[in-house]
Amino acid sequence: DARVTQTPRHKVTEMGQEVTMRCQPILGHNTVFWYRQTMMQGLELLAYFRNRAPLDDSGMPKDRFSAEMPDATLATLKIQPSEPRDSAVYFCASGFMLGGQGGNTEAFFGQGTRLTVV
Amino acid sequence: AQSVTQPDIHITVSEGASLELRCNYSYGATPYLFWYVQSPGQGLQLLLKYFSGDTLVQGIKGFEAEFKRSQSSFNLRKPSVHWSDAAEYFCAVAGRDDKIIFGKGTRLHILP
């Protein structure tokens, strides 16, 4: 049963600490998204990648957030230093997409990482 | 840039009643449109999607949605809701760049 796997599922950390969230996309998928979900803002797109290269990270606060894909099976989202306002659920999603050709645009979501910064 | 508006934050319907959740989008060309559902503590699951062709799209769990270009809408419908349909529903839009943007969601409550 192919699925997107996110670790950890829950993270509590103190303000100022570094946080790393990991995502294993579905094997064969070439596009990976990071979203942040809060009550106030809903689902915000932070960044997305195709074939491990960033396509758009304009939704991400650049001073403290970074997203990478060290290889095709791992995507990471780091926050350094973390702040209480970063408390949210972070979702990773993946899909096999062809840049708008062939109607393949469809994202499969992981179960999220719930981050609490105290 | 694309955007999505879901005008209703909460909707309450009785079990067995019909349902319509509203979604309006903004995009300069023909969009890709989606409805996802999220149960508490879970990720999002795709209900249905529209890319082209027939403007009435059938999805899982008995849901359907209709694309109306003239109204920039993609409303989700179900003829008879079940208690298990209580969840949060998200409409989303994407362009040819596959950048998927979500609305803020509508939380559906079901009365027994």
Side-chain angles (χ1 to χ4, degrees):
Chain A
D1 183 22
R3 63 181 69 187
V4 176
T5 303
Q6 290 187 246
T7 56
R9 290 292 312 279
H10 301 272
K11 177 73 176 179
V12 180
T13 191
E14 292 185 346
M15 183 172 63
Q17 296 298 304
E18 177 178 302
V19 175
T20 298
M21 290 168 272
R22 293 178 174 80
C23 168
Q24 181 177 354
I26 293 172
L27 188 65
H29 282 186
N30 66 348
T31 306
V32 174
F33 301 82
W34 282 105
Y35 289 91
R36 175 170 64 184
Q37 185 177 35
T38 60
M39 290 289 290
M40 293 300 295
Q41 300 299 326
L43 273 163
E44 302 172 274
L45 177 64
L46 297 176
Y48 76 118
F49 293 75
R50 173 150 310 125
N51 299 325
R52 298 174 55 201
L55 288 187
D56 188 335
D57 61 2
S58 59
M60 207 164 61
K62 299 293 191 304
D63 56 338
R64 297 183 301 108
F65 285 59
S66 62
E68 296 179 340
M69 284 199 72
D71 62 60
T73 65
L74 177 64
T76 62
L77 180 66
K78 288 187 181 179
I79 309 175
Q80 167 63 19
S82 57
E83 297 181 1
R85 59 179 167 152
D86 301 328
S87 297
V89 181
Y90 291 81
F91 285 104
C92 174
S94 72
F96 180 70
M97 303 181 190
L98 301 176
Q101 301 173 37
N104 285 333
T105 305
E106 178 178 341
F108 296 81
F109 278 75
Q111 294 204 301
T113 294
R114 181 174 295 277
L115 174 66
T116 303
V117 184
V118 298
Chain B
Q2 57 268 50
S3 66
V4 176
T5 301
Q6 293 181 248
D8 303 306
I9 298 173
H10 294 271
I11 290 274
T12 301
V13 299
S14 298
E15 191 169 16
S18 64
L19 171 71
E20 183 168 26
L21 301 183
R22 296 184 291 165
C23 171
N24 292 97
Y25 69 89
S26 174
Y27 184 64
T30 301
Y32 297 151
L33 294 163
F34 311 84
W35 277 99
Y36 281 81
V37 61
Q38 184 181 31
S39 298
Q42 301 297 313
L44 279 72
Q45 181 185 20
L46 181 69
L47 285 176
L48 48 79
K49 60 187 178 184
Y50 170 80
F51 288 137
S52 64
D54 193 347
T55 56
L56 185 63
V57 180
Q58 301 297 319
I60 62 171
K61 305 186 181 188
F63 286 93
E64 66 177 27
E66 187 171 11
F67 170 54
K68 292 186 177 180
R69 185 189 303 275
S70 61
Q71 298 176 20
S72 298
S73 70
F74 189 56
N75 293 350
L76 182 71
R77 300 193 293 248
K78 187 169 185 177
S80 175
V81 298
H82 186 262
W83 65 265
S84 60
D85 294 324
E88 189 149 23
Y89 292 79
F90 292 91
C91 182
V93 63
R96 295 295 180 268
D97 57 2
D98 296 325
K99 184 175 177 179
I100 304 175
I101 301 298
F102 285 84
K104 294 203 171 181
T106 297
R107 185 166 295 278
L108 176 63
H109 306 270
I110 307 293
L111 294 176

